[in-house]
Amino acid sequence: MVTLFTLTVICVVAVILIPIVLTIIGLPLMLLLGLLPWLLRVAGVVLLLKAIFQQPVKWENFLPAVGAFVLAVGLGWIF
């Protein structure tokens, strides 16, 4: 049977540990999300160069580069 004292101790520990765990998980995630638009722009340039150098040049080859640029702009606007 869980006593009131045990429940209080569990709640106090949870109140202390939950923000610490969320900070440890959330900080790298926010750093990654901050760098993601920049990384998508770099990937878009690489995909654009790849599409330009493919022979024969077709418009379908440019779709991954356009998608990367659109995602970079969208994520940059959100974050």
Side-chain angles (χ1 to χ4, degrees):
M1 187 91 177
V2 177
T3 64
L4 185 59
F5 177 73
T6 308
L7 187 60
T8 304
V9 169
I10 291 172
C11 288
V12 168
V13 169
V15 165
I16 293 170
L17 287 180
I18 288 175
I20 293 172
V21 170
L22 289 177
T23 302
I24 291 171
I25 293 171
L27 188 59
L29 183 64
M30 291 308 292
L31 289 173
L32 178 67
L33 290 177
L35 291 175
L36 194 58
W38 182 80
L39 292 172
L40 280 170
R41 286 185 188 110
V42 171
V45 169
V46 170
L47 290 169
L48 184 64
L49 290 174
K50 180 183 172 197
I52 289 172
F53 289 125
Q54 282 184 346
Q55 294 295 331
V57 177
K58 298 181 201 173
W59 69 272
E60 294 95 359
N61 297 339
F62 292 96
L63 289 178
V66 170
F69 284 126
V70 168
L71 278 174
V73 170
L75 287 175
W77 182 70
I78 291 171
F79 296 108

